[in-house]
Amino acid sequence: MTTIQQRQVEIIASIAAAAYIQPILSNGFLFEGDVRDNFYYASYLFAASVDAAIPFEGNRKEAKDKAERVFLNLLGIQDQDPASSTYGHWPLNLRPTPQEASKNTLPVELMGSLMVYFAQRYQGQLSEALRTAFDNTLRHIYQSNFYRKAVTNYGHHEAKYTAAKLILGQRYGDADLIKDGHESLRITLERVTSKGMTEYGGLPWFWHWVQAFTCAWQLTQDEEIRSDLAQMLDYLWNERATYYLGGAWVGPHARIWPHDMPRDTNVLHDYVQFGDFKLPAPMPRTEYAGFLVYEAPTHCLETALQRRSTPVEIKRQVPKQIGQAEHEQDHLHSYVYITENYAIGGMWERIREFDNEQHRWDVAFPLDHLEGVNHAYFFHPDLEKPEGDLRHQSEYTEVLFHRHVIMATYDIPENQPGYIKGCLPLGEWVESPTGLFGRFANVYLAVFIQQPYKREILEDRCFVTSQGRKNAVVVECIDLAEAESHGIRDVHHFADLMLAKQPHFGENNILSYTSLTNDTLLVSGDPTKEITSLVNGEAVDFTSYTVA
């Protein structure tokens, strides 16, 4: 058994143990909130019940019976009426009852292909009733034609449709559907390799790409199609490795959920592939990491796992989503500075992504280096969704990224919330009227804030708020080895040194700063200024930003 397989077994055993003790609700399901969790947990429980190689302390017969009951209930609430507008679909949540809950297009997109995988892998161990139920369900999925859509946006929905075309086409001997799926795969592969992914850092979307195409790769028998799927997966894992740091996803994100930020917890596929951090106890996205695997190329593993003391800068062009770009060549620009102990950077341009969940900038740290959250960032909350989950940023920000420094200005109109908020990891912090200076693991972090602030120490993070319609934040990060070269002995000495380097908050929202490496940085928060960012007197050069 390879180390990758060992980590998969560890995941299966852990989730199966949770599923075994999870009580079945009065409606016959394990969960009401997301119908897919019933499928995932039942899959892991069934796998542990029939495979003696998977550690399991419960009664395996009882576990198998429980998993099959959940499966039968799940398959029984699929819309199997060919005349229905939701034919082949499931409800997403099961309230008020599984039978009354409205059907949703999302569950079948990913779960449908994974059901093919499960039914094929365990066909010899399913009861006759369950095997028949899966056969009926999968045929309804195939006949529903939900996946027969052209590729136009190159996003995660179409990635899942493409995989479904290949998987269902093969299962039902549909040569035309396989051909359609193969063509969809080819044009998607050409698009992302030549222009990049519009869903940059888009969790959980990215993992849906990985799962869908890994599922198709594991099931597909046609060698030419399998080769193209391997190329797609090589690309995806290279993308993941580029922005990987000890379980953290560094850099900007097109979308984040609370389990992605400010602590990375959607990490099971990372754990299987890289394994350089502890398997976390909370698993908010179990999905199929314990079953599906495609081993990343050696160069991807080296990129992800062999971060050296010599930092790297990643400067990327990112295509805007279809409908957002005025011209074919319109791009966003992503910048990340990655060291072995931290990564710092973000997206130069603010854009309103789906559900306004763009995560603009932050400092990220390896998961095992910290207790609690592993990201540090500030933002102005959007008026429409100012809830307390540290997402949904407004447009009233200008930024500058340069190596281990981030500068951000906030020019907030009267009709918007008049404050910024931020999240910092737990650690040893020194407070001053103009900033916070911290040490955790192998890193020192300086955070200058223009306006007065308040810091609350919570169970897993520091929460910071700062009032004022003209505000700014400067963040500088330095690891212990470099700190020693500056004669820094401890966090108090670091604070003393940095307090002598106060940023200058000038008129017209001009912010200037000289870094520890003596780089002079200037950013203007005035949108009427032609040049908003200067590094050592020079405007930022975006011509050096590449697709890959």
Side-chain angles (χ1 to χ4, degrees), residues 25 30 79 105 107 162 169 241-242 249 300 331 334 351 389 491 516 528 532:
L25 303 172
L30 296 171
D79 185 342
T105 58
T162 296
T242 298
W249 193 304
C300 293
H331 290 93
S334 169
I351 193 165
D389 64 1
V491 69
L516 279 169
T528 65
T532 59

Side-chain angles (χ1 to χ4, degrees), residues 2 32 167 170 208 222 244 282 348 369 399 401 441 475 511 532:
T2 67
E32 283 187 324
I167 291 167
Q170 176 177 278
H208 286 192
D222 184 286
Y244 182 85
W348 285 95
H369 286 197
V399 295
F401 308 118
V475 175
L511 172 63
T532 59

Side-chain angles (χ1 to χ4, degrees), residues 175-190:
D176 289 339
L177 184 57
I178 294 173
K179 182 179 178 181
D180 181 11
H182 194 190
E183 180 60 23
S184 297
L185 172 63
R186 283 176 165 170
I187 63 174
T188 303
L189 181 60
E190 193 283 328

Side-chain angles (χ1 to χ4, degrees), residues 250-521:
V250 308
H253 299 266
R255 189 183 188 192
I256 55 170
W257 274 30
H259 56 56
D260 306 318
M261 195 69 59
R263 180 172 178 81
D264 291 278
T265 59
N266 185 4
V267 294
L268 294 190
H269 292 282
D270 282 335
Y271 182 74
V272 169
Q273 190 72 256
F274 302 122
D276 62 335
F277 59 92
K278 300 188 200 73
L279 180 65
M283 298 184 189
R285 286 271 175 171
T286 55
E287 296 183 343
Y288 252 42
F291 297 108
L292 302 171
V293 66
Y294 173 88
E295 189 166 355
T298 300
H299 73 271
C300 293
L301 299 176
E302 291 175 349
T303 297
L305 299 176
Q306 298 181 18
R307 297 291 184 197
R308 303 300 187 185
S309 56
T310 302
V312 297
E313 289 180 288
I314 309 297
K315 300 179 178 181
R316 288 282 187 86
Q317 293 181 359
V318 178
K320 291 184 178 180
Q321 294 182 13
I322 304 298
Q324 292 181 325
E326 295 181 10
H327 307 286
E328 179 67 19
Q329 298 305 315
D330 279 356
H331 290 93
L332 307 175
H333 297 87
S334 169
Y335 176 93
V336 189
Y337 182 81
I338 308 177
T339 77
E340 59 185 338
N341 292 310
Y342 68 88
I344 186 168
M347 187 67 72
W348 285 95
E349 300 89 357
R350 193 267 184 180
I351 193 165
R352 199 173 187 88
E353 307 284 4
F354 176 81
D355 205 22
N356 190 28
E357 290 180 354
Q358 184 194 43
H359 183 65
R360 184 82 175 274
W361 66 263
D362 76 9
V363 187
F365 308 94
L367 274 174
D368 284 354
H369 286 197
L370 301 177
E371 293 293 330
V373 304
N374 66 310
H375 290 264
Y377 61 100
F378 283 74
F379 69 100
H380 176 251
D382 182 72
L383 181 63
E384 293 181 15
K385 294 190 176 181
E387 75 264 31
D389 64 1
L390 297 177
R391 302 185 296 166
H392 307 299
Q393 307 183 20
S394 81
E395 63 192 88
Y396 306 106
T397 308
E398 294 293 340
V399 295
L400 184 151
F401 308 118
H402 181 64
R403 298 179 181 168
H404 44 83
V405 177
I406 291 177
M407 300 167 66
T409 66
Y410 304 90
D411 191 355
I412 305 168
E414 289 294 331
N415 64 343
Q416 295 288 321
Y419 63 94
I420 61 173
K421 55 186 177 180
C423 180
L424 299 172
L426 298 174
E428 187 181 3
W429 287 95
V430 174
E431 291 191 24
S432 83
T434 56
L436 297 129
F437 307 94
R439 175 183 171 174
F440 26 84
N442 299 316
V443 172
Y444 289 103
L445 182 67
V447 182
F448 298 98
I449 306 173
Q450 180 179 3
Q451 303 293 349
Y453 66 88
K454 177 184 177 182
R455 180 173 71 112
E456 299 177 63
I457 303 175
L458 306 180
E459 181 180 2
D460 66 342
R461 70 194 68 180
C462 300
F463 178 63
V464 183
T465 54
S466 178
Q467 301 288 331
R469 297 198 174 276
K470 300 283 187 181
N471 214 333
V473 173
V474 176
V475 175
E476 182 161 14
C477 209
I478 184 172
D479 63 26
L480 293 190
E482 188 175 354
E484 289 176 0
S485 71
H486 290 274
I488 296 171
R489 299 182 301 274
D490 56 33
V491 69
H492 297 282
H493 188 208
F494 175 65
D496 291 340
L497 175 66
M498 298 306 291
L499 281 169
K501 299 182 62 63
Q502 286 288 335
H504 177 67
F505 305 103
E507 295 182 1
N508 300 318
N509 220 22
I510 299 289
L511 172 63
S512 60
Y513 178 68
T514 301
S515 73
L516 279 169
T517 51
N518 290 319
D519 292 309
T520 59
L521 312 173

